[in-house]
Amino acid sequence: MAVRAFGTRKRQVRGRWLLAGALMATTALVMVPKAEAQDRIDYFPHTPGLVDGYRIWAMSGNGAYVAGAALNPGPGIFRAARWDASGNVLDLGSDIGASSYVTGLSFDGGVAVGHSFFNLAPGAFRWTESGGLEYIGSLGGSRSWAYDVSSDGNVIAGLARRSDFRDRGYVWIKDATTGVVSNPQMHELPTVSGTISSIGIGGISGDARYVTAYEVDGLSVWRAYRYDVSDIENGAVTHIDIGSLGGGTINPEDISDDGKVIVGYADQALADGGHSRAFRWVEGSTGGYGGGALHDLGTLGGDSSWASAVSGDGAVVVGSAETASAEYIAYRWAEDTEMISVADWLRAAGVAVDVTLAEASATNQDGSVVAGSMWNADGERVPYIARVAARQGPGPNPAPGSGLMDVAEYNATLYGAAGIANAGEFLTWLPMNGAHHRPLMLTPSLSGDMCAWATGDFAHHGQSGANLALAEAGACVDLAGGSVRLGGAVGTTASWQALSLGGAANMVGQYVLGEMDWQPDGTPLLLSVTGMLGGWQAKIDRAYSNGAATAVSSGQTNATGGVVRVRADWLEAAKVGNTSINPWASVAFGALHVDGYSESGGPFPARFAAQNLGHTDIRVGVTAVTEFSSQTKLSTTLELAHRTGTAASAVGQVDGLFAFSLGGGTYGQTWGRLGLELDHKINDAVALSGSVHLATNGRDPSVALSAGIKGAF
């Protein structure tokens, strides 16, 4: 059974916005792991914020995949496609030159169904990860369409053409042998009237017991049914006419998990106004239209309403309805509240709402989550998720656990919180390319064979907005007649970064560092090995919109990182006046681990998985050292850096809603850096140093300042 976001969903004749379709147009793909009754999702017209090249019709029950079609701009055709949680697309194939579409996914996303148009004749297919795409045939004619699939991927519902050129509903069952003669796995769905001119298949329940559909006879009279197809292999199919509201049109849109509740929309009798009204059919109930089981759910003061989805338990209905001012807005219907706007439902839970919620197109098992589209402050129609928690707890945010999420904005904050891994990377490399941007032997030469130093750094990373600071103390000793220098240091580093909407991410921790320099006798080479290991504690306050207010979800985690660098300097390779030219090269390897963590507070806290990042850093440079006097010298460094490694990611779960996987993969980045450093010896035992480094867009801070003092004894 392929499942749409948050609940069951039927065919949309009037055209609705699908949450999953809108998400594909944002920078991140968000999907819902909750499995509901079925997922038939049809074409949705373009609206600002969506990408014309995508059409999304289905979502797997576990939330790992969405599927539909991707436009190939070359030949101008659509290709059946499946996207994973990171937005990676897989072309499922089909005939060359034919547009193809996925309309249903199994619970785990391993089976996809749909149809391909080859020579203008649609052919239904079933695709599996192991076997690829397989056409499932027809009822003896030349055309077939697949609309939905059961949870296990073994039963398909759709339309197919018979040899007499009539289109009929079918149920295809894997490995069945009792279907039509030309196709033993495909069973024709018997029609109720023998004068059927058209039939519309809505979908199939997850356990493959029920199929929902409407039939239109030769007199253009619409009838909606629930078919029990559990014994269709033996030729037994029963049906229930779910009735009408007195008008000529009825369209079932959704069915509850147990098949006892069906929702949709139907025309009233002309005497009652003839308007389209949302309905809820409840098996065995009375008191509906004409005393039957079909109940008119009313409106929000206008004439019309439409039902889009029902909760898995059948108790909650969502859709859109007309107000007295002829505005169409999202509603939520339940027995205790009847029809109220989704905005008022949220306000009753303490959530401030200052935007127009245009429609509700999906809901979850118990109706506590509603999804749809809204008009944001920029006049764009964007996806939202609304939730009212059953239990209200204390806290600074209105009704913690309840809220209104702007999905695109919220996704950006998820990835922003993942930037803690970037900050951890910057802190890992800060001592290496900050306080220790040059070997210890290239610091001011003082008398004595032992030394001690203290250094402070401040840096700003312009691209991310992160600020970094370092404080370090260390000591060294010269051995082997001064050809070897050993040094060690301890330090503390911190970063602080402003996130969107007033959020913040801060890290603080300590590190240890060791270095060995060696200048072989009689050579101009200086070889050095430097290593550091550090640990940091991070606190993240992630802010996001909660309707008209701002909510904050907070979390804490730990990070551990280290770097090993090997460097070679060619001392005084050339000399011009009182300036020596010293080329050098280095290669370094770094690693960072960030623990997973869970947020608390706010209506939409998330859980983030652990991250492991690895990096390789290669640099070549040249340092020109100009001696102004025996006490003062200026070093000017030009370097080119290239780093490859694992990119930061945000992988995890928004509790009760959806899984997310943003960023990640690998990167390679090259940038340049300019450094100026002034060294001044106060006397033979004490020296001061100050430096500034400027870098182009890359992994080094945009600007870094350093000041230090060194003593010898």
Side-chain angles (χ1 to χ4, degrees):
M1 173 184 69
V3 180
R4 58 160 184 85
F6 300 110
T8 61
R9 167 123 180 162
K10 305 306 295 176
R11 184 182 177 194
Q12 291 288 2
V13 170
R14 57 186 292 267
R16 291 279 203 273
W17 281 98
L18 174 66
L19 173 66
L23 296 183
M24 284 303 303
T26 64
T27 57
L29 183 65
V30 178
M31 285 163 288
V32 182
K34 175 65 180 177
E36 302 297 348
Q38 74 89 37
D39 78 306
R40 174 66 195 283
I41 298 163
D42 286 334
Y43 174 86
F44 293 87
H46 177 71
T47 281
L50 282 185
V51 177
D52 284 326
Y54 297 119
R55 295 292 181 261
I56 306 301
W57 284 279
M59 177 179 288
S60 63
N62 64 1
Y65 301 98
V66 295
L71 181 64
N72 186 330
I77 62 173
F78 281 92
R79 300 289 292 177
R82 187 189 72 170
W83 290 265
D84 65 18
S86 298
N88 301 311
V89 63
L90 176 65
D91 186 336
L92 303 190
S94 73
D95 295 300
I96 298 175
S99 285
S100 55
Y101 311 86
V102 175
T103 54
L105 287 172
S106 62
F107 179 84
D108 64 2
V111 178
V113 300
H115 39 268
S116 171
F117 287 82
F118 182 66
N119 290 334
L120 302 180
F125 65 76
R126 177 177 181 265
W127 175 92
T128 63
E129 291 181 337
S130 59
L133 188 144
E134 174 188 6
Y135 288 98
I136 63 173
S138 68
L139 292 170
S142 60
R143 299 170 183 259
S144 60
W145 301 259
Y147 289 145
D148 199 12
V149 64
S150 60
S151 291
D152 62 8
N154 292 330
V155 184
I156 302 170
L159 287 177
R161 181 154 294 183
R162 303 190 310 193
S163 58
D164 61 0
F165 302 103
R166 295 181 180 273
D167 295 328
R168 292 291 184 263
Y170 70 80
V171 176
W172 181 94
I173 303 172
K174 184 177 182 296
D175 298 328
T177 59
T178 59
V180 298
V181 173
S182 61
N183 191 348
Q185 296 182 94
M186 185 173 287
H187 303 74
E188 182 175 341
L189 183 68
T191 58
V192 178
S193 170
T195 59
I196 295 297
S197 61
S198 65
I199 186 170
I201 297 294
I204 189 170
S205 60
D207 60 4
R209 178 175 181 179
Y210 295 111
V211 170
T212 61
Y214 65 87
E215 299 180 6
V216 183
D217 66 19
L219 301 176
S220 296
V221 177
W222 292 53
R223 293 286 186 267
Y225 302 99
R226 185 192 70 177
Y227 304 85
D228 186 335
V229 297
S230 57
D231 199 28
I232 195 172
E233 288 188 80
N234 295 317
V237 176
T238 60
H239 68 275
I240 296 176
D241 187 331
I242 68 172
S244 74
L245 292 178
T249 300
I250 181 169
N251 196 327
E253 290 283 315
D254 200 6
I255 187 170
S256 62
D257 287 346
D258 60 7
K260 294 183 178 181
V261 178
I262 297 173
V263 302
Y265 56 90
D267 287 347
Q268 298 172 305
L270 290 177
D272 296 327
H275 301 290
S276 182
R277 289 294 185 87
F279 72 78
R280 179 174 179 258
W281 176 88
V282 182
E283 181 180 7
S285 69
T286 58
Y289 182 82
L294 196 75
H295 303 260
D296 185 338
L297 298 186
T299 71
L300 291 175
D303 294 325
S304 302
S305 60
W306 298 265
S308 298
V310 65
S311 59
D313 59 13
V316 174
V317 183
V318 299
S320 62
E322 186 181 12
T323 67
S325 59
E327 183 181 18
Y328 296 93
I329 63 174
Y331 76 80
R332 180 183 184 272
W333 181 97
E335 289 187 2
D336 57 342
T337 62
E338 296 191 336
M339 185 180 289
I340 62 172
S341 70
V342 174
D344 285 343
W345 174 61
L346 288 167
R347 292 184 183 113
V351 180
V353 180
D354 64 349
V355 294
T356 299
L357 306 183
E359 70 166 356
S361 56
T363 188
N364 65 335
Q365 173 67 24
D366 62 2
S368 62
V369 179
V370 175
S373 63
M374 68 181 185
W375 296 102
N376 66 13
D378 297 325
E380 297 174 317
R381 198 163 180 172
V382 297
Y384 73 82
I385 297 173
R387 177 167 65 186
V388 170
R391 178 180 61 83
Q392 305 300 316
N397 301 307
S402 300
L404 174 63
M405 177 194 297
D406 180 329
V407 176
E409 178 205 83
Y410 182 88
N411 290 344
T413 70
L414 288 174
Y415 189 65
I420 202 70
N422 284 323
E425 176 191 345
F426 299 154
L427 288 178
T428 303
W429 290 88
L430 180 62
M432 308 298 289
N433 301 313
H436 294 269
H437 63 276
R438 60 181 177 178
L440 289 173
M441 274 192 175
L442 296 183
T443 60
S445 178
L446 302 174
S447 61
D449 57 7
M450 300 183 69
C451 75
W453 72 85
T455 302
D457 287 7
F458 172 80
H460 175 73
H461 198 283
Q463 186 178 10
S464 66
N467 297 304
L468 313 171
L470 173 152
E472 177 186 289
C476 70
V477 60
D478 289 340
L479 303 173
S483 63
V484 174
R485 178 169 291 178
L486 301 179
V490 295
T492 182
T493 52
S495 70
W496 57 100
Q497 179 181 6
L499 302 179
S500 61
L501 300 175
N506 301 311
M507 296 184 74
V508 62
Q510 295 74 43
Y511 67 89
V512 294
L513 180 144
E515 180 176 325
M516 182 179 71
D517 299 345
W518 174 43
Q519 184 176 7
D521 291 337
T523 73
L525 294 179
L526 172 60
L527 306 177
S528 61
V529 177
T530 308
M532 68 82 60
L533 179 66
W536 300 270
Q537 299 77 48
K539 185 178 186 299
I540 307 97
D541 295 320
R542 185 173 60 88
Y544 48 87
S545 294
N546 181 21
T550 299
V552 177
S553 294
S554 300
Q556 297 184 19
T557 188
N558 297 310
T560 304
V563 175
V564 175
R565 180 183 69 196
V566 177
R567 173 167 163 158
D569 289 75
W570 184 1
L571 304 181
E572 297 187 352
K575 194 160 186 176
V576 180
N578 60 345
T579 300
S580 64
I581 308 300
N582 307 271
W584 57 269
S586 69
V587 59
F589 304 93
L592 177 73
H593 172 80
V594 181
D595 292 342
Y597 67 95
S598 297
E599 295 177 329
S600 60
F604 302 112
R607 289 179 282 118
F608 291 84
Q611 297 188 63
N612 289 292
L613 284 66
H615 309 99
T616 300
D617 185 281
I618 300 173
R619 297 174 186 246
V620 293
V622 60
T623 301
V625 181
T626 302
E627 293 189 10
F628 296 120
S629 68
S630 60
Q631 286 78 35
T632 304
K633 65 180 180 181
L634 175 69
S635 299
T636 303
T637 300
L638 289 173
E639 62 184 283
L640 184 68
H642 178 74
R643 188 178 299 171
T644 59
T646 311
S649 64
V651 178
Q653 177 81 30
V654 181
D655 289 337
L657 293 181
F658 53 77
F660 56 88
S661 179
L662 312 173
T666 59
Y667 73 86
Q669 200 164 4
T670 302
W671 66 97
R673 194 165 78 143
L674 168 67
L676 298 173
E677 183 156 24
L678 186 66
D679 296 315
H680 178 70
K681 292 196 298 183
I682 297 176
N683 53 48
D684 288 341
V686 179
L688 300 176
S689 298
S691 68
V692 58
H693 284 85
L694 304 175
T696 61
N697 186 22
R699 310 304 291 177
D700 278 336
S702 305
V703 57
L705 304 173
S706 179
I709 183 171
K710 177 184 176 183
F713 50 93

